[in-house]
Amino acid sequence: MRFADFPFLRYLPFLLLGIFLGQSYWSPDLLVLSIILSISWLCYMILVFNCEKYVSYFQLSSIAYLSLLVFGALLVQNKKHQTDVSSDILQAESYLAQVTAYDLQKPNSFENLLEVKSFLIGESWTDAQVKILVYHQSDKPLEPGQILLVRKKPEEITSPVNPHEFDYRQYLSRQGIHYRQFLGKDFQVIDSVNSKGLEYFLVHLRHRIGEMLQSKIPDENSAQIALALLLGQKKELDPTIREAYTQAGVMHILAVSGLHVGIIYALFILILKPLKLKKENAKLYLLAVILVIWLYAFLTGLSPSVVRASTMFSLLTLGQMRERRPSIYNILAFSAMLMITMNPDVIYEVGFQLSYLAVLGIVMIQPLILNLWLPRHKVLEYVWQLTSVSLAAQLVTFPLSLYYFHVFPTYFLLGNLLILPLAFLIMQVGVPLMIFGWIPVLGDGLGWVLSWLIWVQNWIAETIRMIPGGKLDRLTMDFSGMIFVWGMLLIIAGWDYGSKRKLTWLATSLVFLLAGFQLYEELQTPSKELIIYQGKKAQLLDFSDSGQTYAWNQGIEPGEISYSVDPNRVQNHLPHTPQSLVAYQHDSGQLEFVGTEFTFHPTNKKLHFTSAPKSIYYWSDGKWVDLVMTDSIAVDSLAYRILF
């Protein structure tokens, strides 16, 4: 096995480097990158067709890799340019927009997504393609294809105020959504385009299938799971059910992913052999399987894991038609490059990262685990194969899960062993229900069977949730820890293929590097630190002194603490419920905290320092920014970090 045998695996790193280059401050602009890419491709073509005898492989490959790097940067700069152009809408007096989806029920309103077609500034209308997330309270639901006239401008989605708080602005921007607006009833439906065409075919089809599933499945909770499992619609999922599946370690079942595409693929491939088709007919059948896979991918919203799986199974099917088996590593790299070309920001999506890591873990680590035991009975062999797949995927993905979610499901093996086979059965019933559910008797029968299967699945998940110690929470892992785990797994996977001496030295180096990073972080930890968090109407103070943490809460609610304060506490290994700061209130209203070097006035939101701090920072755009030293600061709008 040589690295040279995997060309797309060689190309992918250069495309990724180009993406990172395009997002850096010193990246060339769109025009310069376009010129460089054109020149590099022209040189490559001239050298290949006219001077191939006089040019070395190294020179040709260098130009090709440079082109990939520039192409990656170009993708990012092109997306930035489109965003900069659309920012003019913030000055718009009114705009025309087209409804792109069906309403989603929220507690006090309905959510929808508009695509602006043109906006008015002064007396001039400007064409645009801008997405706006809106909330309305209209008596009539909005439907895809309707044209709205809105006579007020939208607002930008703000960045999070507190450190390590979930960045909703960034999450939406990677979907091309940069603005939002509360409309209430202040808009007009002035027209409706023909929504029967291809543009809205899948939107209407998804909606109708969803309504059909809800009507055919008698149990409400089962219907929610069916919508999530079959169509990827999990926004309305009950929080209790969501928590049960999370603790069982099978939340990935409810997010339409490569698992679901694989089940559909297996369903059609398994019946190929009994059909005993001729060679030409078999090829047509396999081509139809590819079309079905991609129809399902579009129907469920083209999530990263679904696109990855659809691309993989399509290439495997094409290889089967040509009686060849392409390399799984090439397929993975090619599908990743395809998705990055369509949307360079996809590399930051958690679903994209977890999907590819899980498949890599199964391909590289699962055979090693499987070979540890060779069961004699078929039932035990099946259980062991399923266990080895779950272990391999979990080993590779758990560092990233801890980094993002800070939770580890203790009973993930039990959940996967019991629920994954059931999910396979549910898909075998659910897919026919999606296709034949319109037939009265057949649809009702399939709906009842599906409802019963999902009820059993929910019961298993809920039972696992009731077992004590179902999850380890408030865990975290930094970037150096992730690199260490993945490096060690790569060493284990390559132990039988590479030089054991070199791999041993590499493992030793990783251990020392991890220890060095941990020591550096320990040395950088200040002895005294004050963090000021901003709530909607109040502030919360966390004061750390020599490893002990104390807190003072002016009035932030517990739900708001979990969203705004806990992310930073978890990231910095601070306790969930710190001890309370002891404060004395002066006649002026000033609060003096015992054992600290600051006072706080709750009315005018002023923080005064009794001794000069070493440094003051405020949180902005995902990082701490230096603030000019002063003897007091107003803490009514920003989060602050003060070192003493």
Side-chain angles (χ1 to χ4, degrees), residues 509-537:
S509 301
L510 285 173
V511 170
F512 278 104
L513 281 173
L514 179 65
F517 276 116
Q518 298 296 327
L519 179 61
Y520 175 78
E521 289 182 4
E522 189 68 28
L523 294 174
Q524 292 296 309
T525 303
S527 58
K528 290 185 179 181
E529 177 185 50
L530 172 66
I531 303 290
I532 302 171
Y533 306 94
Q534 288 294 335
K536 293 179 180 178
K537 298 180 181 179

PDB file of all heavy atoms in Angstrom, residues 509-537:
ATOM      1  N   SER A 509       7.453  11.048  20.683  1.00  0.00           N
ATOM      2  CA  SER A 509       7.415  12.486  20.405  1.00  0.00           C
ATOM      3  C   SER A 509       6.050  13.075  20.707  1.00  0.00           C
ATOM      4  O   SER A 509       5.945  14.173  21.258  1.00  0.00           O
ATOM      5  CB  SER A 509       7.775  12.746  18.935  1.00  0.00           C
ATOM      6  OG  SER A 509       9.056  12.245  18.632  1.00  0.00           O
ATOM      7  N   LEU A 510       4.986  12.322  20.358  1.00  0.00           N
ATOM      8  CA  LEU A 510       3.640  12.795  20.649  1.00  0.00           C
ATOM      9  C   LEU A 510       3.402  12.935  22.145  1.00  0.00           C
ATOM     10  O   LEU A 510       2.762  13.895  22.596  1.00  0.00           O
ATOM     11  CB  LEU A 510       2.607  11.844  20.039  1.00  0.00           C
ATOM     12  CG  LEU A 510       2.404  11.912  18.523  1.00  0.00           C
ATOM     13  CD1 LEU A 510       1.480  10.796  18.058  1.00  0.00           C
ATOM     14  CD2 LEU A 510       1.840  13.266  18.107  1.00  0.00           C
ATOM     15  N   VAL A 511       3.916  11.987  22.922  1.00  0.00           N
ATOM     16  CA  VAL A 511       3.762  12.051  24.374  1.00  0.00           C
ATOM     17  C   VAL A 511       4.444  13.294  24.928  1.00  0.00           C
ATOM     18  O   VAL A 511       3.875  14.045  25.743  1.00  0.00           O
ATOM     19  CB  VAL A 511       4.333  10.778  25.036  1.00  0.00           C
ATOM     20  CG1 VAL A 511       4.393  10.936  26.548  1.00  0.00           C
ATOM     21  CG2 VAL A 511       3.503   9.560  24.666  1.00  0.00           C
ATOM     22  N   PHE A 512       5.684  13.551  24.482  1.00  0.00           N
ATOM     23  CA  PHE A 512       6.417  14.727  24.964  1.00  0.00           C
ATOM     24  C   PHE A 512       5.762  16.031  24.506  1.00  0.00           C
ATOM     25  O   PHE A 512       5.730  17.014  25.238  1.00  0.00           O
ATOM     26  CB  PHE A 512       7.869  14.673  24.495  1.00  0.00           C
ATOM     27  CG  PHE A 512       8.747  13.807  25.357  1.00  0.00           C
ATOM     28  CD1 PHE A 512       9.144  12.543  24.921  1.00  0.00           C
ATOM     29  CD2 PHE A 512       9.160  14.224  26.611  1.00  0.00           C
ATOM     30  CE1 PHE A 512       9.943  11.732  25.719  1.00  0.00           C
ATOM     31  CE2 PHE A 512       9.955  13.431  27.419  1.00  0.00           C
ATOM     32  CZ  PHE A 512      10.354  12.174  26.974  1.00  0.00           C
ATOM     33  N   LEU A 513       5.236  16.038  23.269  1.00  0.00           N
ATOM     34  CA  LEU A 513       4.551  17.237  22.783  1.00  0.00           C
ATOM     35  C   LEU A 513       3.304  17.533  23.604  1.00  0.00           C
ATOM     36  O   LEU A 513       3.044  18.695  23.973  1.00  0.00           O
ATOM     37  CB  LEU A 513       4.180  17.070  21.308  1.00  0.00           C
ATOM     38  CG  LEU A 513       5.294  17.287  20.287  1.00  0.00           C
ATOM     39  CD1 LEU A 513       4.812  16.909  18.882  1.00  0.00           C
ATOM     40  CD2 LEU A 513       5.763  18.746  20.305  1.00  0.00           C
ATOM     41  N   LEU A 514       2.521  16.492  23.900  1.00  0.00           N
ATOM     42  CA  LEU A 514       1.325  16.679  24.711  1.00  0.00           C
ATOM     43  C   LEU A 514       1.696  17.200  26.099  1.00  0.00           C
ATOM     44  O   LEU A 514       1.059  18.136  26.614  1.00  0.00           O
ATOM     45  CB  LEU A 514       0.554  15.368  24.824  1.00  0.00           C
ATOM     46  CG  LEU A 514      -0.714  15.420  25.682  1.00  0.00           C
ATOM     47  CD1 LEU A 514      -1.753  16.337  25.052  1.00  0.00           C
ATOM     48  CD2 LEU A 514      -1.294  14.020  25.897  1.00  0.00           C
ATOM     49  N   ALA A 515       2.725  16.599  26.709  1.00  0.00           N
ATOM     50  CA  ALA A 515       3.170  17.050  28.025  1.00  0.00           C
ATOM     51  C   ALA A 515       3.632  18.503  27.974  1.00  0.00           C
ATOM     52  O   ALA A 515       3.374  19.291  28.892  1.00  0.00           O
ATOM     53  CB  ALA A 515       4.302  16.151  28.532  1.00  0.00           C
ATOM     54  N   GLY A 516       4.321  18.880  26.889  1.00  0.00           N
ATOM     55  CA  GLY A 516       4.791  20.257  26.739  1.00  0.00           C
ATOM     56  C   GLY A 516       3.633  21.236  26.633  1.00  0.00           C
ATOM     57  O   GLY A 516       3.659  22.305  27.265  1.00  0.00           O
ATOM     58  N   PHE A 517       2.609  20.883  25.847  1.00  0.00           N
ATOM     59  CA  PHE A 517       1.442  21.760  25.716  1.00  0.00           C
ATOM     60  C   PHE A 517       0.719  21.909  27.054  1.00  0.00           C
ATOM     61  O   PHE A 517       0.292  23.009  27.422  1.00  0.00           O
ATOM     62  CB  PHE A 517       0.475  21.201  24.663  1.00  0.00           C
ATOM     63  CG  PHE A 517       0.830  21.573  23.254  1.00  0.00           C
ATOM     64  CD1 PHE A 517       1.183  20.591  22.333  1.00  0.00           C
ATOM     65  CD2 PHE A 517       0.823  22.894  22.841  1.00  0.00           C
ATOM     66  CE1 PHE A 517       1.510  20.919  21.023  1.00  0.00           C
ATOM     67  CE2 PHE A 517       1.145  23.240  21.528  1.00  0.00           C
ATOM     68  CZ  PHE A 517       1.495  22.247  20.623  1.00  0.00           C
ATOM     69  N   GLN A 518       0.579  20.794  27.774  1.00  0.00           N
ATOM     70  CA  GLN A 518      -0.109  20.844  29.059  1.00  0.00           C
ATOM     71  C   GLN A 518       0.661  21.705  30.067  1.00  0.00           C
ATOM     72  O   GLN A 518       0.071  22.485  30.821  1.00  0.00           O
ATOM     73  CB  GLN A 518      -0.288  19.426  29.622  1.00  0.00           C
ATOM     74  CG  GLN A 518      -1.154  18.510  28.756  1.00  0.00           C
ATOM     75  CD  GLN A 518      -2.586  18.985  28.640  1.00  0.00           C
ATOM     76  OE1 GLN A 518      -3.136  19.566  29.557  1.00  0.00           O
ATOM     77  NE2 GLN A 518      -3.190  18.745  27.486  1.00  0.00           N
ATOM     78  N   LEU A 519       1.992  21.570  30.056  1.00  0.00           N
ATOM     79  CA  LEU A 519       2.824  22.378  30.950  1.00  0.00           C
ATOM     80  C   LEU A 519       2.726  23.855  30.597  1.00  0.00           C
ATOM     81  O   LEU A 519       2.623  24.716  31.486  1.00  0.00           O
ATOM     82  CB  LEU A 519       4.282  21.906  30.867  1.00  0.00           C
ATOM     83  CG  LEU A 519       5.297  22.678  31.728  1.00  0.00           C
ATOM     84  CD1 LEU A 519       4.931  22.561  33.210  1.00  0.00           C
ATOM     85  CD2 LEU A 519       6.714  22.160  31.482  1.00  0.00           C
ATOM     86  N   TYR A 520       2.725  24.152  29.293  1.00  0.00           N
ATOM     87  CA  TYR A 520       2.628  25.546  28.848  1.00  0.00           C
ATOM     88  C   TYR A 520       1.300  26.155  29.292  1.00  0.00           C
ATOM     89  O   TYR A 520       1.268  27.294  29.795  1.00  0.00           O
ATOM     90  CB  TYR A 520       2.755  25.609  27.327  1.00  0.00           C
ATOM     91  CG  TYR A 520       2.539  26.991  26.764  1.00  0.00           C
ATOM     92  CD1 TYR A 520       3.540  27.963  26.820  1.00  0.00           C
ATOM     93  CD2 TYR A 520       1.318  27.323  26.165  1.00  0.00           C
ATOM     94  CE1 TYR A 520       3.327  29.233  26.306  1.00  0.00           C
ATOM     95  CE2 TYR A 520       1.104  28.590  25.644  1.00  0.00           C
ATOM     96  CZ  TYR A 520       2.114  29.546  25.710  1.00  0.00           C
ATOM     97  OH  TYR A 520       1.906  30.797  25.194  1.00  0.00           O
ATOM     98  N   GLU A 521       0.204  25.418  29.139  1.00  0.00           N
ATOM     99  CA  GLU A 521      -1.104  25.923  29.549  1.00  0.00           C
ATOM    100  C   GLU A 521      -1.155  26.137  31.056  1.00  0.00           C
ATOM    101  O   GLU A 521      -1.761  27.101  31.536  1.00  0.00           O
ATOM    102  CB  GLU A 521      -2.204  24.954  29.119  1.00  0.00           C
ATOM    103  CG  GLU A 521      -2.444  24.934  27.614  1.00  0.00           C
ATOM    104  CD  GLU A 521      -3.575  24.009  27.227  1.00  0.00           C
ATOM    105  OE1 GLU A 521      -4.218  23.455  28.141  1.00  0.00           O
ATOM    106  OE2 GLU A 521      -3.809  23.838  26.019  1.00  0.00           O
ATOM    107  N   GLU A 522      -0.503  25.233  31.797  1.00  0.00           N
ATOM    108  CA  GLU A 522      -0.484  25.379  33.260  1.00  0.00           C
ATOM    109  C   GLU A 522       0.271  26.637  33.670  1.00  0.00           C
ATOM    110  O   GLU A 522      -0.145  27.366  34.579  1.00  0.00           O
ATOM    111  CB  GLU A 522       0.157  24.139  33.877  1.00  0.00           C
ATOM    112  CG  GLU A 522       0.049  24.058  35.391  1.00  0.00           C
ATOM    113  CD  GLU A 522      -1.374  23.855  35.873  1.00  0.00           C
ATOM    114  OE1 GLU A 522      -2.181  23.264  35.127  1.00  0.00           O
ATOM    115  OE2 GLU A 522      -1.672  24.299  36.995  1.00  0.00           O
ATOM    116  N   LEU A 523       1.381  26.903  32.992  1.00  0.00           N
ATOM    117  CA  LEU A 523       2.168  28.096  33.304  1.00  0.00           C
ATOM    118  C   LEU A 523       1.446  29.380  32.917  1.00  0.00           C
ATOM    119  O   LEU A 523       1.669  30.437  33.518  1.00  0.00           O
ATOM    120  CB  LEU A 523       3.529  28.032  32.589  1.00  0.00           C
ATOM    121  CG  LEU A 523       4.488  26.927  33.052  1.00  0.00           C
ATOM    122  CD1 LEU A 523       5.725  26.884  32.169  1.00  0.00           C
ATOM    123  CD2 LEU A 523       4.881  27.150  34.515  1.00  0.00           C
ATOM    124  N   GLN A 524       0.586  29.287  31.883  1.00  0.00           N
ATOM    125  CA  GLN A 524      -0.150  30.473  31.435  1.00  0.00           C
ATOM    126  C   GLN A 524      -1.387  30.762  32.290  1.00  0.00           C
ATOM    127  O   GLN A 524      -1.969  31.842  32.184  1.00  0.00           O
ATOM    128  CB  GLN A 524      -0.604  30.278  29.977  1.00  0.00           C
ATOM    129  CG  GLN A 524       0.534  30.256  28.973  1.00  0.00           C
ATOM    130  CD  GLN A 524       1.275  31.578  28.913  1.00  0.00           C
ATOM    131  OE1 GLN A 524       0.683  32.634  28.771  1.00  0.00           O
ATOM    132  NE2 GLN A 524       2.593  31.504  29.036  1.00  0.00           N
ATOM    133  N   THR A 525      -1.775  29.826  33.139  1.00  0.00           N
ATOM    134  CA  THR A 525      -2.950  30.040  33.980  1.00  0.00           C
ATOM    135  C   THR A 525      -2.645  31.082  35.056  1.00  0.00           C
ATOM    136  O   THR A 525      -1.708  30.916  35.844  1.00  0.00           O
ATOM    137  CB  THR A 525      -3.367  28.726  34.664  1.00  0.00           C
ATOM    138  OG1 THR A 525      -3.615  27.735  33.652  1.00  0.00           O
ATOM    139  CG2 THR A 525      -4.622  28.927  35.494  1.00  0.00           C
ATOM    140  N   PRO A 526      -3.389  32.173  35.111  1.00  0.00           N
ATOM    141  CA  PRO A 526      -3.118  33.226  36.103  1.00  0.00           C
ATOM    142  C   PRO A 526      -3.518  32.783  37.507  1.00  0.00           C
ATOM    143  O   PRO A 526      -4.412  31.945  37.688  1.00  0.00           O
ATOM    144  CB  PRO A 526      -3.986  34.386  35.614  1.00  0.00           C
ATOM    145  CG  PRO A 526      -5.107  33.736  34.878  1.00  0.00           C
ATOM    146  CD  PRO A 526      -4.528  32.504  34.241  1.00  0.00           C
ATOM    147  N   SER A 527      -2.871  33.359  38.510  1.00  0.00           N
ATOM    148  CA  SER A 527      -3.206  33.016  39.890  1.00  0.00           C
ATOM    149  C   SER A 527      -4.540  33.637  40.303  1.00  0.00           C
ATOM    150  O   SER A 527      -5.297  33.050  41.076  1.00  0.00           O
ATOM    151  CB  SER A 527      -2.095  33.484  40.830  1.00  0.00           C
ATOM    152  OG  SER A 527      -1.891  34.892  40.696  1.00  0.00           O
ATOM    153  N   LYS A 528      -4.815  34.852  39.777  1.00  0.00           N
ATOM    154  CA  LYS A 528      -6.090  35.515  40.071  1.00  0.00           C
ATOM    155  C   LYS A 528      -6.708  36.004  38.764  1.00  0.00           C
ATOM    156  O   LYS A 528      -6.052  36.677  37.971  1.00  0.00           O
ATOM    157  CB  LYS A 528      -5.893  36.691  41.016  1.00  0.00           C
ATOM    158  CG  LYS A 528      -5.512  36.293  42.431  1.00  0.00           C
ATOM    159  CD  LYS A 528      -5.461  37.509  43.341  1.00  0.00           C
ATOM    160  CE  LYS A 528      -5.105  37.115  44.776  1.00  0.00           C
ATOM    161  NZ  LYS A 528      -5.085  38.299  45.675  1.00  0.00           N
ATOM    162  N   GLU A 529      -7.992  35.680  38.581  1.00  0.00           N
ATOM    163  CA  GLU A 529      -8.661  36.033  37.329  1.00  0.00           C
ATOM    164  C   GLU A 529     -10.132  36.307  37.602  1.00  0.00           C
ATOM    165  O   GLU A 529     -10.779  35.608  38.373  1.00  0.00           O
ATOM    166  CB  GLU A 529      -8.509  34.878  36.328  1.00  0.00           C
ATOM    167  CG  GLU A 529      -9.225  35.102  35.006  1.00  0.00           C
ATOM    168  CD  GLU A 529      -9.151  33.878  34.109  1.00  0.00           C
ATOM    169  OE1 GLU A 529      -9.473  32.772  34.610  1.00  0.00           O
ATOM    170  OE2 GLU A 529      -8.783  34.009  32.938  1.00  0.00           O
ATOM    171  N   LEU A 530     -10.653  37.340  36.960  1.00  0.00           N
ATOM    172  CA  LEU A 530     -12.068  37.686  37.067  1.00  0.00           C
ATOM    173  C   LEU A 530     -12.695  37.647  35.675  1.00  0.00           C
ATOM    174  O   LEU A 530     -12.182  38.265  34.738  1.00  0.00           O
ATOM    175  CB  LEU A 530     -12.241  39.092  37.669  1.00  0.00           C
ATOM    176  CG  LEU A 530     -13.672  39.652  37.665  1.00  0.00           C
ATOM    177  CD1 LEU A 530     -14.575  38.827  38.589  1.00  0.00           C
ATOM    178  CD2 LEU A 530     -13.677  41.118  38.074  1.00  0.00           C
ATOM    179  N   ILE A 531     -13.781  36.885  35.532  1.00  0.00           N
ATOM    180  CA  ILE A 531     -14.544  36.845  34.287  1.00  0.00           C
ATOM    181  C   ILE A 531     -15.911  37.448  34.558  1.00  0.00           C
ATOM    182  O   ILE A 531     -16.594  37.060  35.518  1.00  0.00           O
ATOM    183  CB  ILE A 531     -14.721  35.409  33.760  1.00  0.00           C
ATOM    184  CG1 ILE A 531     -13.371  34.719  33.555  1.00  0.00           C
ATOM    185  CG2 ILE A 531     -15.518  35.421  32.455  1.00  0.00           C
ATOM    186  CD1 ILE A 531     -12.560  35.266  32.419  1.00  0.00           C
ATOM    187  N   ILE A 532     -16.323  38.404  33.725  1.00  0.00           N
ATOM    188  CA  ILE A 532     -17.635  39.035  33.851  1.00  0.00           C
ATOM    189  C   ILE A 532     -18.481  38.618  32.652  1.00  0.00           C
ATOM    190  O   ILE A 532     -18.133  38.897  31.499  1.00  0.00           O
ATOM    191  CB  ILE A 532     -17.522  40.563  33.900  1.00  0.00           C
ATOM    192  CG1 ILE A 532     -16.620  40.983  35.069  1.00  0.00           C
ATOM    193  CG2 ILE A 532     -18.909  41.198  34.033  1.00  0.00           C
ATOM    194  CD1 ILE A 532     -16.265  42.438  35.070  1.00  0.00           C
ATOM    195  N   TYR A 533     -19.576  37.902  32.901  1.00  0.00           N
ATOM    196  CA  TYR A 533     -20.474  37.441  31.848  1.00  0.00           C
ATOM    197  C   TYR A 533     -21.666  38.383  31.746  1.00  0.00           C
ATOM    198  O   TYR A 533     -22.134  38.938  32.751  1.00  0.00           O
ATOM    199  CB  TYR A 533     -20.991  36.028  32.152  1.00  0.00           C
ATOM    200  CG  TYR A 533     -19.916  35.009  32.406  1.00  0.00           C
ATOM    201  CD1 TYR A 533     -19.478  34.725  33.698  1.00  0.00           C
ATOM    202  CD2 TYR A 533     -19.340  34.297  31.354  1.00  0.00           C
ATOM    203  CE1 TYR A 533     -18.510  33.767  33.945  1.00  0.00           C
ATOM    204  CE2 TYR A 533     -18.371  33.327  31.596  1.00  0.00           C
ATOM    205  CZ  TYR A 533     -17.955  33.079  32.884  1.00  0.00           C
ATOM    206  OH  TYR A 533     -16.991  32.123  33.123  1.00  0.00           O
ATOM    207  N   GLN A 534     -22.180  38.514  30.532  1.00  0.00           N
ATOM    208  CA  GLN A 534     -23.342  39.366  30.305  1.00  0.00           C
ATOM    209  C   GLN A 534     -24.575  38.503  30.069  1.00  0.00           C
ATOM    210  O   GLN A 534     -24.577  37.617  29.210  1.00  0.00           O
ATOM    211  CB  GLN A 534     -23.116  40.259  29.083  1.00  0.00           C
ATOM    212  CG  GLN A 534     -22.115  41.372  29.298  1.00  0.00           C
ATOM    213  CD  GLN A 534     -22.595  42.412  30.305  1.00  0.00           C
ATOM    214  OE1 GLN A 534     -23.793  42.592  30.516  1.00  0.00           O
ATOM    215  NE2 GLN A 534     -21.645  43.098  30.924  1.00  0.00           N
ATOM    216  N   GLY A 535     -25.633  38.764  30.834  1.00  0.00           N
ATOM    217  CA  GLY A 535     -26.924  38.160  30.575  1.00  0.00           C
ATOM    218  C   GLY A 535     -27.823  39.150  29.864  1.00  0.00           C
ATOM    219  O   GLY A 535     -27.393  40.238  29.474  1.00  0.00           O
ATOM    220  N   LYS A 536     -29.080  38.796  29.698  1.00  0.00           N
ATOM    221  CA  LYS A 536     -30.011  39.706  29.022  1.00  0.00           C
ATOM    222  C   LYS A 536     -30.273  40.955  29.851  1.00  0.00           C
ATOM    223  O   LYS A 536     -30.396  42.057  29.309  1.00  0.00           O
ATOM    224  CB  LYS A 536     -31.324  38.979  28.745  1.00  0.00           C
ATOM    225  CG  LYS A 536     -31.189  37.848  27.729  1.00  0.00           C
ATOM    226  CD  LYS A 536     -32.520  37.132  27.513  1.00  0.00           C
ATOM    227  CE  LYS A 536     -32.369  35.998  26.503  1.00  0.00           C
ATOM    228  NZ  LYS A 536     -33.642  35.255  26.307  1.00  0.00           N
ATOM    229  N   LYS A 537     -30.348  40.775  31.178  1.00  0.00           N
ATOM    230  CA  LYS A 537     -30.649  41.924  32.033  1.00  0.00           C
ATOM    231  C   LYS A 537     -29.696  42.064  33.214  1.00  0.00           C
ATOM    232  O   LYS A 537     -29.837  42.982  34.013  1.00  0.00           O
ATOM    233  CB  LYS A 537     -32.082  41.803  32.565  1.00  0.00           C
ATOM    234  CG  LYS A 537     -33.145  41.811  31.475  1.00  0.00           C
ATOM    235  CD  LYS A 537     -34.528  41.677  32.084  1.00  0.00           C
ATOM    236  CE  LYS A 537     -35.607  41.656  30.998  1.00  0.00           C
ATOM    237  NZ  LYS A 537     -36.980  41.500  31.590  1.00  0.00           N
TER     238      LYS A 537
END
